Amino acid sequence: MKALVAREYTTLDGVIVTDLPKPVAGPGEVLLKVEAAALNPLDLALITGAMKDFFPVEHPLVVGMDAAGTVGEVGQGVTTYAPGDPVLAFTGQAGAVAEYTVVAVGPHLAKRPAGLAAQRAAAIPESGMTATCLLRAVGLTAGESVLVVGATGGVGLYAVQLAASLGANVIATATPEDADYVRGLGAHGTVDYKAGDVTEQTLRQVPDGVDVVVDLINRGDTLSSTARAVRDGGRLVSPSSGRRTWAGESPAPTSAASPPSPVTWRT
């Protein structure tokens, strides 16, 4: 089969399309015939080795984590899927950009709803799972206020929708041109990150601070800028690296691991 492969840590110019043996579904697995695959910034980091201290990979690396297509065959013991079923999947650190890939039956594999094209479905798994993990980590509940920084990005658009579906009052960062878009996703208010300090604009809308900040842009000590938007006793969560303590407090418990594992603080 054809696959997009990195044989070592390399630049994008070093990634090649090559022939590999077609994988076989083992017990509890399905063979996915890939119709569409999606790439994310983490895929680039895995190719170049920029995050090898945190996410080392084995080479040759079949690029990509998000795929959609149909089930080609099922492994021993699989009863919930059958050949021809339309599906979407998170393949782990590798395997998506290929003619075929293998996925274990479980939370990283789902049947694709009727009417959802493979090209759209392939954009869901990694970003959608990350947003789900972040909101579970902070325990967002109905009636709480949440600021989503990076709301128009891949993870952010899911964070806005999922937070709104939980009944939260969502404030999303967006330019005026994107304001109607994020409101259509469920945001109640917007903050123009190009028009001034995001925290100051947020505090003008919620003077006592929001219950939760989901920051998809800042990392490390720069998270202090949006931490100021959180009320006393509120929560801040980031999918990126950051300090393990905040204001002398221990980090809040996180949810069960879904890639990537979030860093969470209580302020």
Side-chain angles (χ1 to χ4, degrees):
M1 70 169 186
K2 299 293 184 183
L4 185 65
V5 173
R7 296 195 179 278
E8 59 187 1
Y9 292 122
T10 182
T11 63
L12 289 182
D13 291 339
V15 177
I16 62 172
V17 176
T18 189
D19 288 304
L20 291 178
K22 179 180 174 181
V24 177
E29 297 177 334
V30 304
L31 178 69
L32 171 59
K33 184 177 182 180
V34 178
E35 296 177 18
L39 297 175
N40 295 279
L42 180 56
D43 295 299
L44 174 60
L46 296 182
I47 292 169
T48 63
M51 297 184 68
K52 62 184 177 182
D53 291 339
F54 304 99
F55 295 102
V57 301
E58 295 183 4
H59 294 100
L61 170 73
V62 178
V63 175
M65 305 180 188
D66 293 351
T70 58
V71 174
E73 61 184 46
V74 299
Q76 181 180 355
V78 175
T79 59
T80 52
Y81 292 89
D85 284 346
V87 295
L88 65 157
F90 176 78
T91 64
Q93 287 189 346
V97 187
E99 291 184 273
Y100 294 91
T101 190
V102 169
V103 185
V105 172
H108 294 169
L109 178 69
K111 292 184 178 180
R112 182 156 42 100
L116 178 59
Q119 291 84 351
R120 293 181 179 272
I124 294 174
E126 184 181 348
S127 294
M129 289 171 60
T130 301
T132 299
C133 186
L134 293 172
L135 296 182
R136 287 178 177 174
V138 292
L140 185 68
T141 59
E144 290 193 303
S145 55
V146 54
L147 168 66
V148 180
V149 181
T152 56
V155 177
L157 66 90
Y158 289 108
V160 171
Q161 293 177 83
L162 292 169
S165 71
L166 290 171
N169 184 355
V170 182
I171 299 173
T173 58
T175 61
E177 294 78 12
D178 289 329
D180 287 342
Y181 168 70
V182 294
R183 288 183 184 276
L185 297 178
H188 294 79
T190 62
V191 171
D192 182 2
Y193 58 89
K194 291 185 177 180
D197 184 84
V198 168
T199 293
E200 295 301 325
Q201 293 183 70
T202 302
L203 291 174
R204 285 197 287 271
Q205 296 187 39
V206 188
D208 293 331
V210 295
D211 298 298
V212 172
V213 167
V214 178
D215 194 330
L216 305 166
I217 300 298
N218 297 293
R219 63 175 60 201
D221 287 340
T222 61
L223 284 165
S224 62
S225 62
T226 44
R228 294 186 296 110
V230 185
R231 67 167 175 81
D232 186 22
R235 293 96 72 201
L236 180 151
V237 66
S238 167
S240 304
S241 60
R243 289 159 53 183
R244 299 307 305 174
T245 60
W246 198 269
E249 299 293 330
S250 298
T254 60
S255 67
S258 289
S261 181
V263 177
T264 312
W265 296 274
R266 295 188 184 277
T267 62

